[in-house]
Amino acid sequence: MSLFFSRIIVAAFFIGQAHAEVTRIEITGRSPFAAGKVFGAAGAYERLEGRMYFETDPRNAANERISDLQRAPHNAGGRVESWADFFLLKPTDATKGNGVLLYDVNNRGNMLALWTFNDGERTNDPKSESHAGHGFLMKHGFSLLWCGWNGEVQADDTRRLLCGLPVATEDGRTITGRAHLEISTTEKVFSRAFSWSPWGIGAAFPSVSLDNTDATLTMRPQRDAEGIEIPHGEWAFGRMEEGRLIPDATHVYVKAGLRPGWLYDLVYTAKEPRVTGLGLTALRDCVAFFRHGAAKENPLAGAVQKACVFGISQSGRVIHHFQHEGLNTDEQGRAVFDGALIHVAGSGKGMFNHRFRMSTEFGTQHEGHLSGSEFFPLAPLPQTDPITGASGDSLARSRKSGHTPRLLFTQSSTEYWSRAASLLHTDVEGKSDLTLPDDVRVYLVAGAQHLGKSDGTPGICQQPRNTLDDRGPVLRAMLLHLVDWVKHGKTPPPSRHPRMEDHTLVSFDAWKEQFPKIPGCQLPTHAYQPPRLDFGPRFHSEGIADIIPPKAGKPFRTLLPAVNADGNETSGIVLPEVAVPRGTYTGWNLRSPQAGAETMLAPLDGMFLPFAKTKAERKKTGDPRLSLEERYPTREAYLARIANAAKKLHEEGFLLEEDVARIIERASAQ
């Protein structure tokens, strides 16, 4: 029995509309949130969870971009069936809310909005006051919605959000095709799942056979090195369990073990492709139901004026890709989202609507170059690639529909190093700045790392990881700007990102000349430069790759934020901790020798290198950066500068007053 059907069904609604993309909604749980705590004017909140059932019409123009939809099983009405788990947090009296439905695109099945905006404890089953955190989203009256969209995600004890997507067939026969996977590890192991994660979060497409004769496995220390083919007798489709090799069509076993940091390329014949793009229509139709659905079935009926979408990292790339595919209009021609807050997605989209591709994969400086997460068009405005001759706009289909949401992109420094963020606002050759459309903003949070502050330990890195607290403070301000923009037409602050015209966006060589020679700190050799990939003629039109692995052409040229004599970035949103620094904050960090590939960047980590305490100490080590003693004559002088920097950002619209207080309090505690 499935996890879902082991629960008690509280209510089941069969949707009676003539054009119902959502055919049935089953509410399996309804209970108070945070023990009935009252959150200001919005009052108490309640949680609803369950499953939604969809029917997608292959004949409807809103679905024409969904790859393999015509090859999915059709029911008697000619539609394709799928389902998704959902979770809704709303004011008990929905009319007391702010009229905004905030959809959090789950990241590999995981909910992130409460962790991000409320500083709440991370969970996929929000119940308690610890999950509510300081209650920011509730105090502002948002209704929060999540649903499953990623067909790769598997059930586990963390209650990840799941969805059920059909498998495509050809005239009733199983579809097979060549597939490519890059597998890498940070420690020596003898087997790995076909997944970006060692925990096998994403269910890969199985090999058609346990016989590896028609498959190849090659290894190389880094992507630009020549691949070494591993003889067929030295590897197998299988997994190691308690010293035994278990045959498994979704794992690869290497007799000599996988070397830490090395890249292993598996090319094999896969079977049973999911109709991956139906995850995007599930997202669309779930939101459309709660936004537009009738009162009989919809607990938010009449309470939603606007809908916004938020996503971090992969989830942010989903939002950009969703707009690229023109899916912000549902089957009935209605708008889905009015605004989007896309955090740390770089310039990427992803493999969210392609056959035999993994949506969990993405490119970084060392890994994932052949994943295809960065593909032209990269920027949200018309441009031409002089190398291929292709022209495009990542939002062209969305604009054609007339339902383009207002977009805020926020990036950390890591996205410029490891996720090609500069390509969102420069030409593809890195020769000129682009003038972004009026409905798009791009912001850099200077010196921040991909997922915000760490505990300061090295992890798999050479240096202590970045401790800058950027995620909540900046995103809380950005979310309220987005709401003002979509509800009242009040524009947010102008984009704030590095630019070539004022020399705050520079080449790697120029950056290397700027960065201080800090004792014991080894510098990178380069930043991520995503290659132009050729998967064949059907890839972008039908989502089918004919060239596996893809041909890698000339890379797009990416640029980096300039730094000052301390190594701190000078452009973007410069938080008080960076404006009045106690050390150097970066969006990059090198891998440790133990993790392998030690000359390469850790995928998504930055670092914090503290200043010496005294002049004598820094002179002894040869550190060119001024010491704390030389910068701040007294504790009071330091705190006054922190307070001034925080208040200035508040006046400019980049910090809320409550976060100014938190930053000053945190600095005082130091």
Side-chain angles (χ1 to χ4, degrees):
M1 182 174 287
S2 72
L3 173 64
F4 171 75
F5 286 110
S6 67
R7 306 176 196 161
I8 298 172
I9 297 179
V10 175
F13 299 104
F14 294 84
I15 312 302
Q17 297 168 259
H19 302 285
E21 300 94 303
V22 177
T23 59
R24 188 164 94 253
I25 175 172
E26 294 180 348
I27 298 174
T28 60
R30 189 166 191 166
S31 60
F33 174 64
K37 181 177 180 177
V38 173
F39 296 95
Y45 268 66
E46 65 175 343
R47 31 175 276 142
L48 292 84
E49 59 183 320
R51 184 165 288 184
M52 305 186 83
Y53 294 84
F54 308 98
E55 290 187 2
T56 304
D57 189 351
R59 299 156 296 192
N60 191 299
N63 305 316
E64 63 184 5
R65 286 288 301 167
I66 303 303
S67 299
D68 277 335
L69 183 59
Q70 297 291 349
R71 298 178 179 89
H74 292 29
N75 63 19
R79 294 169 174 260
V80 177
E81 298 180 4
S82 60
W83 58 263
D85 294 336
F86 78 91
F87 197 103
L88 176 67
L89 280 179
K90 72 173 190 69
T92 304
D93 179 351
T95 62
K96 289 185 177 181
N98 67 357
V100 178
L101 175 62
L102 179 62
Y103 179 84
D104 175 20
V105 183
N106 75 76
N107 190 304
R108 298 169 175 89
N110 298 310
M111 303 176 177
L112 297 180
L114 294 177
W115 173 65
T116 299
F117 297 104
N118 287 24
D119 295 328
E121 179 185 338
R122 273 186 62 175
T123 181
N124 295 326
D125 188 22
K127 293 179 179 177
S128 68
E129 289 193 49
S130 66
H131 300 146
H134 47 60
F136 172 82
L137 291 171
M138 289 78 203
K139 291 173 184 175
H140 284 276
F142 289 95
S143 291
L144 304 172
L145 175 64
W146 297 263
C147 76
W149 64 268
N150 189 338
E152 295 171 16
V153 172
Q154 302 299 290
D156 71 355
D157 58 7
T158 68
R159 294 172 63 101
R160 292 191 183 98
L161 291 160
L162 309 179
C163 70
L165 305 182
V167 171
T169 59
E170 195 75 71
D171 297 326
R173 300 188 303 273
T174 299
I175 292 176
T176 64
R178 298 297 274 177
H180 165 261
L181 291 171
E182 178 190 284
I183 297 171
S184 188
T185 180
T186 57
E187 59 184 355
K188 184 174 181 178
V189 295
F190 289 89
S191 66
R192 271 289 299 269
F194 293 178
S195 168
W196 77 284
S197 162
W199 305 282
I201 291 172
F205 303 100
S207 171
V208 295
S209 171
L210 293 173
D211 184 350
N212 69 1
T213 303
D214 81 333
T216 60
L217 184 66
T218 58
M219 56 186 284
R220 68 194 78 215
Q222 55 196 52
R223 182 50 57 189
D224 59 3
E226 191 71 28
I228 303 167
E229 185 168 350
I230 302 175
H232 288 96
E234 298 299 310
W235 70 277
F237 290 112
R239 67 184 191 279
M240 286 296 288
E241 286 188 5
E242 299 179 351
R244 294 175 57 240
L245 176 60
I246 310 296
D248 190 323
T250 62
H251 285 65
V252 63
Y253 159 81
V254 178
K255 187 176 181 180
L258 285 85
R259 299 185 188 179
W262 281 56
L263 307 177
Y264 290 79
D265 290 288
L266 174 66
V267 177
Y268 69 108
T269 302
K271 64 179 180 179
E272 300 171 356
R274 290 179 291 270
V275 184
T276 304
L278 280 176
L280 300 181
T281 62
L283 181 163
R284 176 195 70 191
D285 296 338
C286 175
V287 175
F289 170 82
F290 283 108
R291 178 171 185 174
H292 302 294
K296 182 180 178 181
E297 309 92 10
N298 179 12
L300 288 180
V304 179
Q305 302 163 24
K306 300 290 181 181
C308 293
V309 59
F310 165 69
I312 294 179
S313 191
Q314 180 207 41
S315 303
R317 292 188 290 112
V318 168
I319 299 169
H320 195 180
H321 195 116
F322 183 87
Q323 301 302 326
H324 172 67
E325 299 287 9
L327 293 172
N328 203 41
T329 303
D330 73 359
E331 287 190 7
Q332 299 180 53
R334 304 172 301 191
V336 182
F337 297 113
D338 303 286
L341 178 50
I342 300 175
H343 188 52
V344 294
S347 59
K349 297 184 283 293
M351 299 294 98
F352 307 125
N353 189 25
H354 299 79
R355 181 190 292 183
F356 291 132
R357 303 295 297 164
M358 294 287 284
S359 64
T360 48
E361 294 186 338
F362 58 94
T364 64
Q365 185 244 23
H366 177 52
E367 301 168 83
H369 286 206
L370 305 183
S371 68
S373 55
E374 282 68 50
F375 61 83
F376 187 87
L378 294 137
L381 70 166
Q383 59 179 163
T384 298
D385 183 349
I387 302 300
T388 64
S391 294
D393 170 355
S394 69
L395 299 181
R397 294 188 186 94
S398 182
R399 295 201 184 285
K400 184 178 179 181
S401 74
H403 290 151
T404 309
R406 286 160 171 168
L407 298 167
L408 301 180
F409 288 88
T410 53
Q411 313 280 10
S412 78
S413 172
T414 302
E415 280 65 65
Y416 284 82
W417 281 95
S418 296
R419 300 295 302 115
S422 64
L423 293 171
L424 200 63
H425 53 81
T426 74
D427 69 292
V428 294
E429 291 288 88
K431 293 180 178 179
S432 61
D433 296 310
L434 299 176
T435 301
L436 293 169
D438 291 339
D439 56 1
V440 176
R441 297 287 190 276
V442 175
Y443 306 99
L444 161 68
V445 183
Q449 72 175 8
H450 184 69
L451 286 181
K453 66 178 179 179
S454 76
D455 60 5
T457 60
I460 67 164
C461 305
Q462 293 184 16
Q463 304 289 351
R465 288 172 295 173
N466 199 321
T467 56
L468 183 63
D469 184 13
D470 72 298
R471 186 187 65 254
V474 171
L475 291 181
R476 282 188 280 271
M478 290 296 109
L479 180 61
L480 296 190
H481 282 309
L482 184 63
V483 170
D484 277 344
W485 203 8
V486 301
K487 287 185 73 174
H488 310 299
K490 182 180 177 182
T491 56
S495 292
R496 188 173 285 196
H497 58 76
R499 303 173 189 271
M500 281 178 276
E501 65 180 6
D502 62 7
H503 308 292
T504 56
L505 188 65
V506 299
S507 69
F508 172 79
D509 289 340
W511 172 90
K512 194 172 181 180
E513 289 297 315
Q514 296 172 346
F515 197 81
K517 293 179 173 57
I518 303 172
C521 178
Q522 184 179 348
L523 297 187
T525 57
H526 62 285
Y528 178 44
Q529 306 276 347
R532 293 169 170 86
L533 298 179
D534 181 3
F535 286 94
R538 296 189 293 169
F539 193 65
H540 293 299
S541 59
E542 300 179 49
I544 299 172
D546 295 300
I547 302 174
I548 293 293
K551 293 179 182 176
K554 182 181 178 181
F556 300 109
R557 184 170 182 254
T558 61
L559 301 172
L560 301 168
V563 296
N564 59 21
D566 291 329
N568 284 317
E569 293 166 356
T570 58
S571 58
I573 302 169
V574 183
L575 289 172
E577 294 91 337
V578 179
V580 190
R582 296 167 58 89
T584 301
Y585 295 91
T586 77
W588 60 271
N589 204 332
L590 295 184
R591 296 166 62 106
S592 70
Q594 294 75 23
E598 64 266 28
T599 64
M600 306 298 283
L601 297 179
L604 300 172
D605 291 311
M607 64 183 177
F608 174 65
L609 298 175
F611 297 143
K613 292 181 180 179
T614 66
K615 181 178 180 179
E617 181 183 324
R618 79 168 179 88
K619 285 201 165 188
K620 184 177 180 180
T621 62
D623 193 334
R625 304 169 299 162
L626 291 178
S627 66
L628 295 174
E629 173 187 72
E630 295 168 284
R631 293 167 187 271
Y632 313 117
T634 65
R635 178 175 183 273
E636 289 71 25
Y638 167 73
L639 292 177
R641 290 178 59 183
I642 283 282
N644 288 337
K647 291 171 184 176
K648 184 172 184 291
L649 285 178
H650 171 59
E651 291 166 2
E652 295 169 337
F654 295 112
L655 284 179
L656 301 179
E657 190 170 346
E658 64 195 74
D659 282 307
V660 170
R662 290 187 183 111
I663 287 170
I664 294 172
E665 181 181 357
R666 188 164 58 240
S668 298
Q670 291 176 340

